[in-house]
Amino acid sequence: WATGIQWSRRHLFGALSADALELDLRVTYPARDVRCAWELPWARDICPVPPSMWSYRGGEGAARYPIEAVTGPIDVFHMTLFAPPAHTFPKLVCTVHDLMPLIIPETYPKRILDKYAAMVPFWQEHADHIICVSEYTRQDLLAHTGIAPERTSVIYHGRHPHFTRRDAAAVSSVRHRYGIRGPYFLGVGSVVPHKGFHRLCNAFLRAKDETGMPHQLVIVGRPNWRNSEVFSAIQKSRHVQDIIFTGYAAFEDLPALYSGAE
């Protein structure tokens, strides 16, 4: 399984490693985090970071280690995580996917709020430039951090060539695999409060009651924190069998799931 940010990193690494770019790309990972290797589409230029150098604890006397002790000489370090590392960098570029923990903190667990609280001063002090994945995120960043606009840019995510419309046979196969009987609506994402799946489910159930429509609602993604509001509404409904939670779907199944949805 993988989250959206993990998919983004995997394909970013793959694109940056293209021979045509003539780019010397090195990727750092915590030495103990074997699962992260899934994100790497190749088996070269991996720079494991020992535990003593990975997490920045802060406080008096806290040491930061030069990242080049792990990577060798580099020109730019691109940080894609959202916890301050225990490193110094020659030049630092950070990617910010969203600032939801700062905007609606009541929907997040404390462990994520703590990371974001530490990230804002880190961005302010250390980032030479910050990439935002949308103009909306950029405006949130400017409003909540005081970072100067000239230190930010918007670079949108690309579209993977895997995502093309699939034919009726492929759609039929994937419908059978996931137990989808009739026409359906599709939602994709982790089941967490800020994704709004509780509102989607409530709207779907109301539409079923008021119109008698034959549709199902298919939600692709793993239930994560604070999802009881989603499931409590469903369990009380007579349409409970019409909402399907697939968990994480296989990458090769997603285009057909999208193609078959209304």
Side-chain angles (χ1 to χ4, degrees):
W1 60 269
T3 65
I5 292 178
Q6 287 173 314
W7 277 115
S8 172
R9 283 199 296 238
R10 177 178 172 84
H11 296 303
L12 176 64
F13 297 154
L16 290 177
S17 64
D19 291 337
L21 291 180
E22 298 182 352
L23 181 69
D24 182 8
L25 178 67
R26 303 163 196 182
V27 178
T28 62
Y29 268 102
R32 65 180 180 272
D33 199 345
V34 177
R35 189 182 66 181
C36 287
W38 172 89
E39 296 179 25
L40 305 173
W42 70 93
R44 57 184 170 83
D45 304 321
I46 310 302
C47 304
V49 180
S52 60
M53 291 180 59
W54 188 251
S55 297
Y56 178 63
R57 297 287 187 265
E60 186 175 352
R64 287 189 180 275
Y65 304 92
I67 192 63
E68 290 174 301
V70 173
T71 63
I74 57 173
D75 297 308
V76 178
F77 189 89
H78 180 192
M79 194 171 77
T80 60
L81 49 82
F82 60 96
H87 306 144
T88 58
F89 311 90
K91 289 288 185 180
L92 177 64
V93 174
C94 302
T95 290
V96 178
H97 293 268
D98 66 67
L99 280 90
M100 292 295 103
L102 301 183
I103 298 167
I104 44 174
E106 66 277 7
T107 66
Y108 280 84
K110 184 177 183 299
R111 59 184 172 84
I112 292 182
L113 296 179
D114 289 346
K115 287 182 178 180
Y116 265 78
M119 276 309 300
V120 171
F122 180 83
W123 289 330
Q124 291 169 329
E125 182 178 354
H126 298 286
D128 292 286
H129 203 78
I130 298 177
I131 297 169
C132 301
V133 302
S134 70
E135 180 60 30
Y136 194 99
T137 292
R138 179 175 177 270
Q139 292 302 323
D140 281 344
L141 180 74
L142 300 180
H144 286 82
T145 68
I147 290 172
E150 59 268 22
R151 292 174 62 194
T152 67
S153 296
V154 175
I155 301 178
Y156 297 103
H157 288 313
R159 181 185 67 82
H160 195 280
H162 176 64
F163 286 92
T164 57
R165 183 167 292 279
R166 297 301 197 256
D167 60 23
V171 170
S172 176
S173 175
V174 83
R175 284 166 59 96
H176 176 75
R177 192 173 306 123
Y178 290 96
I180 304 170
R181 301 185 305 275
Y184 67 98
F185 303 115
L186 179 68
V188 179
S190 299
V191 183
V192 290
H194 67 280
K195 301 284 187 180
F197 282 115
H198 58 295
R199 296 178 187 235
L200 175 62
C201 290
N202 286 335
F204 172 76
L205 294 171
R206 180 176 173 181
K208 292 282 286 187
D209 282 335
E210 295 182 0
T211 70
M213 63 183 187
H215 295 68
Q216 293 178 291
L217 173 61
V218 179
I219 296 178
V220 175
R222 188 178 72 164
N224 215 315
W225 65 82
R226 298 181 188 173
N227 51 52
S228 59
E229 190 174 2
V230 174
F231 295 107
S232 61
I234 295 170
Q235 289 165 358
K236 298 173 185 176
S237 171
R238 61 192 177 93
H239 304 296
V240 63
Q241 299 301 321
D242 288 319
I243 298 183
I244 299 173
F245 289 90
T246 69
Y248 282 110
F251 183 62
E252 53 269 20
D253 289 343
L254 285 173
L257 283 168
Y258 278 115
S259 298
E262 293 199 1

